[in-house]
Amino acid sequence: MMRVTFIHADGKGRTEVEAAPGSILLDVAQAHLMPLEGTCEGQMACSTCHVIVAKEDFDRLPLASEMEEDMLDLAAGARRTSRLACQILLTEAMDGLTVHIPSESRNMQGPR
């Protein structure tokens, strides 16, 4: 198991969770009630799973595909270290990963 920390949209709260390597970050987030819709179910047809990866962790992730970069252009509040959680396959090398839920994030589906 590995550790992932989600910084809440208010910038104050944080949720630390354990995840299995090979998990998709969006699935882990949703399992722990983080407000990420993932409306397109990982098909990169939306940007509702947009997260901001901590600067110190960003280089540990594989580069985003051109298609993911295009979707991030549509994400509210996108930053240089923004990624789509549906495209992050967790590996042991990412243990301790910290991601921020954007303050612009709105989960219209409500808690899962």
Side-chain angles (χ1 to χ4, degrees):
M1 297 298 275
M2 56 181 291
R3 186 175 45 85
V4 177
T5 301
F6 295 96
I7 306 298
H8 299 191
D10 65 7
K12 298 174 187 172
R14 63 190 299 126
T15 299
E16 294 185 19
V17 304
E18 287 191 345
S23 299
I24 303 293
L25 183 61
L26 176 60
D27 296 337
V28 173
Q30 289 177 336
H32 292 90
L33 305 177
M34 295 296 102
L36 298 178
E37 284 184 50
T39 303
C40 72
E41 298 178 356
Q43 301 302 308
M44 278 198 291
C46 71
S47 59
T48 60
C49 67
H50 165 230
V51 294
I52 301 166
V53 178
K55 289 177 186 166
E56 60 273 14
D57 294 333
F58 188 73
D59 290 335
R60 294 196 287 156
L61 277 60
L63 294 175
S65 68
E66 188 175 328
M67 189 173 176
E68 181 180 356
E69 291 284 351
D70 289 346
M71 288 311 307
L72 285 167
D73 288 342
L74 304 174
R79 313 267 192 315
R80 187 186 73 74
T81 60
S82 290
R83 292 296 301 271
L84 298 180
C86 70
Q87 298 302 301
I88 299 176
L89 178 67
L90 297 173
T91 66
E92 290 180 7
M94 295 176 199
D95 187 30
L97 179 71
T98 298
V99 297
H100 300 255
I101 306 298
S103 59
E104 298 85 0
S105 179
R106 299 289 180 265
N107 186 348
M108 304 307 284
Q109 294 179 348
R112 293 180 184 256

